[in-house]
Amino acid sequence: DIQMTQSPSSLSASVGDRVTITCRASQSISSYLNWYQQQPGKAPKLLIYGASTLQSGVPSRFSGSGSGTDFTLTISSLQPEDFATYYCQQSYDTPRTFGQGTKLEIK
Amino acid sequence: QLHLQESGPGLVKPSETLSLTCTVSGGSISSNNYYWGWIRQPPGKGLEWIGNIYYSGTTYYNPSLKSRVTISVDTSKNQFSLKVYSVTAADTAVYYCARRDYDSLTRAYFFDYWGQGTLVTVSS
C-alpha cells in the first residue's frame, strides 16, 4: 500500500494567515493527489484533485501543488470557516489511501 | 443536485454482519462516468477506503478488508450496498458512501459527492 504522511498533524493559526500543509507519498504517485476538508461531524468535502485543480465552487484562496512524492495545500488567507481537518488522498493505485489528517485550529 | 444517503442499523453485535445501503437521488447510478464507493472513519481517526463498484457490478476492494466485505448494486432502486461480515469492535466507525468521478483532462480520480455518513457501533 502507498503510505501518505501529512505534516504537521495539527496547526494553530489566525484569521488572515497564510497556511501550508504538506503531504508526502511513500512512492511516486505522479499528480494523482486529492485534498479534502472535513468539518466536525460532517462528511469530507473535495477541495483539489489532480494535485492542483480546484474543485468547482471552492474559493480561490485554496491552492495545491506538487508531483511525485511531495505535495502541498496552501490557504492564502485563512477565513473562520477554514478551521477544520484536512486530508490528502492518493488515487494512483489501489487501495486508495488517505493521510492521517491535519487539524487546523484557531490561535 | 446529486444526493447520497446512507441507511442501516446503527448497532451490530460482534461476529454478525453489518449491512448498509446508499440511496442516490438527483442522478442515475447507471451513468457511464462514475464508480460508487464506501469509506469509513473510526471515531476520532482518519479515513479508510473500503471499496468501489460500477453500475455493471465490477468491484474493487481494499485488500485489508476484501475477505470480509461485499459491495453490490441495485440499478432499479438507484442504490448500492455494503456488507461487512464477522464484525468486531474495530469495525465501529462512521460509514460514508460517495461518488467517484474521473476527470479526463487531469486523468484524476476523486470522490466528489459524499453522503452525510452513518455511525455503526459494534457492541453486544
Side-chain angles (χ1 to χ4, degrees):
Chain A
D1 298 6
I2 297 174
Q3 305 302 315
M4 307 301 294
T5 304
Q6 291 181 229
S7 60
S9 295
S10 63
L11 176 60
S12 295
S14 302
V15 173
D17 284 354
R18 179 183 179 90
V19 166
T20 297
I21 297 169
T22 297
C23 179
R24 175 165 289 174
S26 60
Q27 67 181 75
S28 176
I29 58 170
S30 185
S31 296
Y32 297 106
L33 191 283
N34 307 318
W35 289 99
Y36 300 86
Q37 175 195 65
Q38 187 177 34
Q39 301 284 0
K42 302 291 188 182
K45 172 188 173 183
L46 177 67
L47 298 176
I48 288 169
Y49 61 89
S52 61
T53 302
L54 203 64
Q55 170 69 345
S56 176
V58 174
S60 59
R61 62 181 180 274
F62 290 93
S63 63
S65 65
S67 66
T69 60
D70 294 317
F71 302 85
T72 59
L73 172 69
T74 299
I75 310 171
S76 60
S77 178
L78 276 173
Q79 299 302 299
E81 61 269 28
D82 299 338
F83 292 94
T85 300
Y86 293 84
Y87 293 94
C88 61
Q89 177 240 330
Q90 62 83 16
S91 61
Y92 178 82
D93 197 8
T94 53
R96 306 306 195 209
T97 48
F98 293 83
Q100 82 278 15
T102 295
K103 187 173 184 179
L104 181 52
E105 298 174 304
I106 301 173
K107 183 182 287 184
Chain B
Q1 179 75 351
L2 193 75
H3 183 72
L4 289 82
Q5 179 69 57
E6 306 89 351
S7 59
L11 181 64
V12 180
K13 290 182 168 54
S15 80
E16 296 190 346
T17 298
L18 179 161
S19 296
L20 295 174
T21 295
C22 182
T23 301
V24 179
S25 57
S28 174
I29 203 170
S30 301
S31 171
N32 287 338
N33 299 330
Y34 309 117
Y35 272 72
W36 304 89
W38 288 97
I39 299 103
R40 70 181 183 178
Q41 185 172 35
K45 296 188 178 180
L47 298 159
E48 179 180 34
W49 174 73
I50 300 171
N52 291 346
I53 190 165
Y54 194 55
Y55 76 92
S56 64
T58 299
T59 52
Y60 296 91
Y61 295 119
N62 191 325
S64 69
L65 295 166
K66 187 174 183 178
S67 63
R68 297 195 298 123
V69 167
T70 298
I71 299 175
S72 58
V73 64
D74 186 337
T75 56
S76 68
K77 296 181 178 178
N78 227 34
Q79 295 176 334
F80 61 107
S81 297
L82 171 71
K83 290 187 185 296
V84 182
Y85 306 99
S86 304
V87 297
T88 69
D91 294 308
T92 294
V94 175
Y95 286 77
Y96 295 101
C97 60
R99 186 180 81 172
R100 197 229 66 191
D101 195 2
Y102 170 73
D103 178 68
S104 57
L105 191 63
T106 60
R107 298 196 295 170
Y109 299 90
F110 45 87
F111 294 106
D112 59 348
Y113 284 92
W114 296 63
Q116 66 184 22
T118 187
L119 174 63
V120 179
T121 301
V122 178
S123 176
S124 56

